[in-house]
Amino acid sequence: MELVAPAGNIDKLYYAYTYGADASYIGLKRFSLRIKADNFYEDEYKQVIALKEKYPQKKLFCALNISFHNHDIAQFMKNIDYFKLYPIDSFIVQDLGIVPVLQKYFPNAALHLSTQASCINSGAVKMYQQMGFKRVVLGRETTLDEIKEIKDAVPDMELEAFAHGAMCIAYSGRCLMSAYLTGRSANSGFCSQSCRWNYDVLLDGKKITTATDPTSLAQSGALVLREHERSNEYFPVYEGDTFTAVLSSKDLRMIEHLDDMKNAGVDAIKVEGRMKSIYYVALVTRAYRKALDILEGKISQEQAQPFIAELDNVSHRESTTGFYYNRGDADKTTIGASDSPYELTAFIKNRLPASDVANIIAAGKKTLADRQKKLDDMHPQARAATERDYAAHPEKIPPVAEQKDNWYMYEIEALNKFDLSTELEYITPDVASKKAEAGTWTLVDPKDGTILPWVCNGHSCMLYTNESLPDGALIRVKDTGFVSGSIRDTGREKKQL
């Protein structure tokens, strides 16, 4: 099966490819259902082309999955020459109005039907095939048994299905709740995720204070939900025989059931998350890559398990298998935002060639020599005073990096502050995690070769370490604000899971 991973910007596209995706899906400004993702614009097509050249076997899908108004199509036509600059292999669409445009102006790009189209039966799949679609991303309400029936009926149509990530309470994600509450339409890419907010359950507009039979009360029609910060907005609550009105769904997780998806006829599995972090994209993509490698006989379950276990270390809610086995699994809800015990603290960028390392080491030696010359040129009393000051404040004379055998220097981009006492872990495409023990790394200022006691975002810095790290390696640290078993307080009341 093909692994399709999300990419909300050029950096996420790089990490999706580097950490094992066969294909990645992006959005273009104003034309995808994740407007709040960075998406792609201006001259980023040049970087995308470079990535495709680096990974020639990887595919690039473009999500044009909004519901197009007339003015949206007109705007798309104005930008069509720009969109042609991207090396797009397939377009993911739900609105049939844009299909003739894509077929005319992008004849070499395949058409993939978006899950937003709610395609869940073989008759619909056949119709889309006749329209020229190569792949259908099935509606999330499809069961594995239904997928098998569809594949048997239309064996030459590629079927893609979601395997991991957040789910929406609406039918295939076509939700009007955000538009109703905030004026931000999910179908135009502006979803405010109002299903994740905190709500009070009220009886006739007042908080419930007396005990009553919960089933009778729920079926009475008198219950409503009210979001904490919107005192005049009410939602009716009703308990049916086979369902309860739900808001915040659990996250989908099918990594333990990929063999069932494959046997049902799924050709490609998809990870949700163009608005998720690089850390999320990298670790989730890597976990599913390893799980697929098990199915293909490339590695053992034991070899893959450390990578699969890392799914618990990315932001997530409680998980479910969605609609694949039992509708009841999808109906179970959870509370609060997703959370992670770790935070990404730095990107490890390019490894410096030996000549550049030698230049930085030489700069350190010059720093020492200049410092000593400055002392030597001082009046004896001034020198004595300066030396006393240095003794009292050693941070004013930081040490410099020295040449070490089998050590490597990398340019890093810090995302937040960390210092030489911070416990770091390296993450790579093929190493689940590895602690960077004290003494095995240091931070170096590339300008003067001095050892930096700390670094933060926006500071130029080199990591000097005895680890040989591949492209795409990441540095993470424990998140001190994480508390296992609880939902973090983000301005809303904390509740226990």
Side-chain angles (χ1 to χ4, degrees):
M1 288 188 293
E2 183 178 270
L3 175 56
V4 184
N9 58 33
I10 187 67
D11 291 327
K12 293 175 188 178
L13 181 62
Y14 167 77
Y15 284 96
Y17 284 162
T18 303
Y19 277 71
D22 298 304
S24 188
Y25 58 103
I26 68 172
L28 299 175
K29 282 294 184 185
R30 298 185 297 276
F31 297 105
S32 85
L33 283 180
R34 287 296 178 265
I35 291 290
K36 290 189 292 182
D38 291 345
N39 290 317
F40 290 73
Y41 59 100
E42 295 180 353
D43 64 349
E44 286 186 330
Y45 68 89
K46 297 177 182 177
Q47 295 170 273
V48 176
I49 291 171
L51 269 181
K52 286 273 285 179
E53 290 175 348
K54 181 177 181 178
Y55 295 102
Q57 74 280 20
K58 308 283 188 179
K59 298 177 184 177
L60 180 71
F61 301 158
C62 178
L64 293 178
N65 51 354
I66 66 168
S67 297
F68 281 81
H69 292 272
N70 288 329
H71 63 81
D72 292 320
I73 294 180
Q75 185 65 34
F76 182 82
M77 294 301 299
K78 289 180 181 179
N79 290 274
I80 204 161
D81 288 338
Y82 167 71
F83 295 150
K84 285 182 178 180
L85 298 172
Y86 283 85
I88 296 169
D89 296 295
S90 303
F91 287 100
I92 306 170
V93 299
Q94 63 143 325
D95 192 324
L96 297 183
I98 198 67
V99 169
V101 175
L102 298 177
Q103 290 175 326
K104 178 178 180 180
Y105 292 98
F106 300 88
N108 296 323
L111 289 176
H112 291 183
L113 185 72
S114 170
T115 190
Q116 299 291 128
S118 304
C119 185
I120 57 175
N121 65 75
S122 57
V125 171
K126 289 178 182 178
M127 286 296 297
Y128 286 114
Q129 185 180 51
Q130 292 171 14
M131 294 178 193
F133 283 83
K134 179 182 180 182
R135 176 179 298 186
V136 167
V137 185
L138 294 165
R140 298 212 189 186
E141 298 76 23
T142 320
T143 68
L144 288 178
D145 288 340
E146 289 172 327
I147 293 174
K148 189 175 188 308
E149 292 172 358
I150 292 170
K151 192 65 176 180
D152 289 342
V154 199
D156 51 346
M157 173 64 89
E158 295 179 4
L159 300 181
E160 181 174 308
F162 279 90
H164 196 89
M167 296 199 300
C168 180
I169 63 166
Y171 204 83
S172 292
R174 295 187 294 182
C175 182
L176 297 176
M177 186 174 179
S178 174
Y180 174 75
L181 273 180
T182 67
R184 293 162 50 183
S185 172
N187 299 302
S188 295
F190 292 97
C191 182
S192 59
Q193 295 203 18
S194 44
C195 58
R196 312 294 184 190
W197 298 347
N198 295 332
Y199 293 84
D200 299 318
V201 180
L202 308 178
L203 176 59
D204 293 328
K206 300 178 181 179
K207 288 190 176 182
I208 300 172
T209 57
T210 57
T212 186
D213 175 59
T215 301
S216 298
L217 181 61
Q219 293 179 345
S220 70
L223 290 181
V224 296
L225 293 182
R226 182 184 67 191
E227 207 280 325
H228 281 320
E229 298 180 6
R230 291 166 174 79
S231 60
N232 295 320
E233 300 286 354
Y234 299 95
F235 293 89
V237 177
Y238 183 78
E239 175 78 14
D241 292 334
T242 60
F243 72 94
T244 303
V246 295
L247 291 178
S248 184
S249 60
K250 293 185 178 182
D251 285 357
L252 179 65
R253 173 175 167 144
M254 287 292 289
I255 198 164
E256 290 85 7
H257 310 285
L258 297 185
D259 53 342
D260 287 347
M261 297 186 76
K262 182 177 181 179
N263 292 335
V266 174
D267 298 290
I269 60 170
K270 191 169 196 171
V271 174
E272 178 275 337
R274 272 189 293 134
M275 290 173 60
K276 297 291 181 65
S277 67
I278 285 175
Y279 179 70
Y280 176 95
V281 170
L283 267 67
V284 174
T285 300
R286 185 183 66 173
Y288 277 83
R289 176 75 274 149
K290 300 302 181 183
L292 288 175
D293 287 346
I294 296 174
L295 290 183
E296 296 171 4
K298 295 179 180 179
I299 60 175
S300 67
Q301 177 70 42
E302 183 179 9
Q303 290 172 312
Q305 192 54 44
F307 300 94
I308 295 172
E310 284 292 326
L311 288 178
D312 292 331
N313 290 327
V314 298
S315 294
H316 66 285
R317 302 177 182 88
E318 294 177 284
S319 63
T320 175
T321 54
F323 292 86
Y324 286 122
Y325 296 102
N326 187 317
R327 165 67 186 269
D329 293 335
D331 284 344
K332 295 175 183 177
T333 62
T334 188
I335 57 175
S338 56
D339 211 350
S340 168
Y342 287 92
E343 60 181 6
L344 181 64
T345 199
F347 304 117
I348 297 177
K349 303 175 87 171
N350 57 298
R351 180 191 291 187
L352 270 63
S355 58
D356 287 355
V357 176
N359 290 337
I360 292 175
I361 298 297
K365 292 179 179 179
K366 184 177 185 303
T367 296
L368 287 180
D370 291 345
R371 188 184 298 162
Q372 186 61 48
K373 185 176 187 305
K374 183 177 179 180
L375 284 172
D376 292 342
D377 290 344
M378 288 182 179
H379 185 278
Q381 291 180 338
R383 175 171 178 166
T386 300
E387 289 176 336
R388 287 195 298 271
D389 182 52
Y390 284 166
H393 302 282
E395 69 275 7
K396 293 183 178 182
I397 50 168
V400 300
E402 298 178 356
Q403 183 69 49
K404 295 185 178 184
D405 293 336
N406 299 318
W407 276 52
Y408 310 92
M409 197 171 287
Y410 302 86
E411 179 185 1
I412 66 170
E413 179 182 344
L415 301 177
N416 44 56
K417 184 178 180 179
F418 67 97
D419 58 42
L420 296 177
S421 67
T422 306
E423 295 183 0
L424 305 181
E425 291 186 25
Y426 299 133
I427 301 293
T428 80
D430 291 305
V431 175
S433 69
K434 184 173 184 179
K435 291 185 177 180
E437 303 291 345
T440 65
W441 63 276
T442 192
L443 302 171
V444 180
D445 187 330
K447 297 186 294 295
D448 59 13
T450 58
I451 302 296
L452 294 171
W454 56 269
V455 66
C456 66
N457 183 253
H459 285 212
S460 178
C461 182
M462 300 295 164
L463 176 76
Y464 197 31
T465 176
N466 64 356
E467 288 288 339
S468 178
L469 299 169
D471 290 347
L474 301 169
I475 299 175
R476 75 179 181 190
V477 298
K478 283 288 184 69
D479 188 339
T480 56
F482 176 80
V483 178
S484 179
S486 70
I487 294 172
R488 197 172 316 207
D489 185 0
T490 58
R492 301 182 185 274
E493 182 181 1
K494 181 180 289 187
K495 298 181 180 179
Q496 295 300 312
L497 289 175

